[in-house]
Amino acid sequence: MTMIAAMGRISQIQSTLQQLSNVSTERVATTVAATPAAASASAGSFAATLAAALGTAGTAGASATSTRATSSTNGTAGADVVASARKYLGVPYVFGGEDSSGMDCSGLVQTVYADIGIELPRLVSGQMKMGTEVASLAEAQPGDLIVTGGGDHILIYAGDNKVIHAPYPGRTVTLRDAYMTDADITTIRRIIPTDTAATGTGPANMLSAAFTAFAQQNPPVTGGAL
């Protein structure tokens, strides 16, 4: 190969190397530019999941059918509802009443739930739209609300086929056997969800899921050819 040919060959090689260098630089720049956006989106997703796990997600306007009314039910069980209701056994029925001096059926329900930090509407017409519906009396759990007469009366299911309610004038808040059948029931409402830990949707599980999702969206960077 002549000197002139050799010089020409060297020039071609240098040109090729320069082009490869430019391509690599562009890829690095693109990757670096994309990384903050991807990380930001991933972090946003993680933050949203984390907020949901901790119960601090942004609050939207609550509708009449909100499951948790205006308070969180985290850490509250149906047994707490029944325990609160038992405190009012023997309180006389008073139409429009809502304290230990006297209460009606919906006043009892509102007061009992307020005792454990959950706000419910004052009247049966509002209470019967809260939470989620339970299909039948056989599926009722302690703390569920049983509505009869199209909304004329509301009772608290106490478990073991018993209910606590404020019946009518002349009577007191009473614990008694559930006297109604499904045919008599307008709706059964579950204000407090069943144990979320068993279903894998509790805060601890949601927090774990948040970290897992974040890790999947942000795999470790490994070495490799550009």
Side-chain angles (χ1 to χ4, degrees), residues 88-95 101-104 165-176 179:
Y88 299 103
L89 292 177
V91 171
Y93 179 98
V94 174
F95 181 75
S101 65
M103 52 182 61
D104 58 18
H165 70 144
Y168 48 81
R171 296 289 302 277
T172 62
V173 175
T174 304
L175 170 68
R176 60 160 297 173
Y179 57 85

Side-chain angles (χ1 to χ4, degrees), residues 29-192:
T30 299
T31 301
V32 171
T35 299
S40 176
S42 179
S45 176
F46 173 73
T49 306
L50 180 60
L54 298 178
T56 56
T59 56
S63 69
T65 57
S66 170
T67 299
R68 299 189 177 190
T70 58
S71 299
S72 171
T73 58
N74 288 343
T76 303
D80 298 323
V81 178
V82 176
S84 176
R86 284 180 175 274
K87 295 186 305 181
Y88 299 103
L89 292 177
V91 171
Y93 179 98
V94 174
F95 181 75
E98 51 190 38
D99 58 37
S100 57
S101 65
M103 52 182 61
D104 58 18
C105 63
S106 57
L108 171 66
V109 167
Q110 185 187 50
T111 300
V112 165
Y113 270 89
D115 285 349
I116 59 174
I118 299 175
E119 296 181 15
L120 291 181
R122 174 60 182 86
L123 303 178
V124 179
S125 58
Q127 295 170 355
M128 65 188 291
K129 297 176 183 176
M130 304 304 293
T132 57
E133 188 162 31
V134 177
S136 67
L137 186 59
E139 298 177 44
Q141 296 185 4
D144 289 351
L145 302 179
I146 301 174
V147 179
T148 61
D152 288 339
H153 192 51
I154 190 164
L155 312 88
I156 299 172
Y157 186 69
D160 297 325
N161 199 44
K162 295 185 180 299
V163 294
I164 296 176
H165 70 144
Y168 48 81
R171 296 289 302 277
T172 62
V173 175
T174 304
L175 170 68
R176 60 160 297 173
D177 290 337
Y179 57 85
M180 71 290 296
T181 67
D182 286 332
D184 303 315
I185 296 174
T186 302
T187 184
I188 302 175
R189 309 302 296 187
R190 180 161 298 156
I191 307 301
I192 299 177

